[in-house]
Amino acid sequence: MAYEVPDLPYDYGALDPHIDEQTMRVHHDKHHQAYVDKANAALDRGAPGTYNVVDDDPAMLREWLPAYADAVDARPPRRVPRFVARLVAGKFGLYMTTQLQGATNAKAKRELGWQPRWASWRDGFREALG
C-alpha cells in the first residue's frame, strides 16, 4: 500500500499572517512529500525502524530559524529569556527550541540508497526560497 500526501483542505495562504503561503508550499509540497516518498520506499525495501529524511548538515533551531526568516524576508525571530520561553512553551517546548540536536540521515542513506536534494539546509534555503 503506497501512501500519498493529501491535498490541503484549505488554500496555501489561508494561515497568513501566521504562516505565509510560500512556507506552506515548501512544508506541504516538499517536506511532507519527502516523508511520504521515503516511507513508501522503506515499506518496499528498508529495514523496520525510524528513518530521518534530513540533510547532511544537522543544526539546532537557533541556527537555522534566523536563516530561514532571512530567506523568506521575514523579521528575525525574537530571543526571549529561558524562563519566559518555558512559561509560554512548557518544558518540552523549551527543550525542542534550545537543546534538540539535528538528526542523522545515515540509516536512510544506507538502507534506502537515499540522498538529500541539498546537502545542507543552507543550500536548500538559498535555492528553494531565494
Side-chain angles (χ1 to χ4, degrees), residues 48-65:
T50 301
Y51 289 82
N52 294 311
V53 181
V54 297
D55 63 28
D56 295 332
D57 187 15
M60 294 182 72
L61 182 121
R62 70 173 172 253
E63 184 178 359
W64 66 260
L65 188 58

Side-chain angles (χ1 to χ4, degrees), residues 39-100:
N40 287 330
L43 289 172
D44 289 342
R45 64 178 185 262
T50 301
Y51 289 82
N52 294 311
V53 181
V54 297
D55 63 28
D56 295 332
D57 187 15
M60 294 182 72
L61 182 121
R62 70 173 172 253
E63 184 178 359
W64 66 260
L65 188 58
Y68 180 80
D70 184 57
V72 296
D73 294 323
R75 293 186 320 247
R78 294 182 178 170
R79 296 186 66 99
V80 297
R82 290 177 66 87
F83 80 92
V84 172
R86 185 173 180 155
L87 287 172
V88 172
K91 187 176 181 179
F92 182 70
L94 180 63
Y95 170 79
M96 293 290 289
T97 58
T98 62
Q99 296 178 41
L100 184 66

Side-chain angles (χ1 to χ4, degrees), residues 103-118:
T104 177
N105 60 18
K107 184 176 178 184
K109 286 178 157 184
R110 181 181 66 248
E111 298 286 332
L112 306 176
W114 175 80
Q115 291 294 319
R117 180 177 296 166
W118 296 288

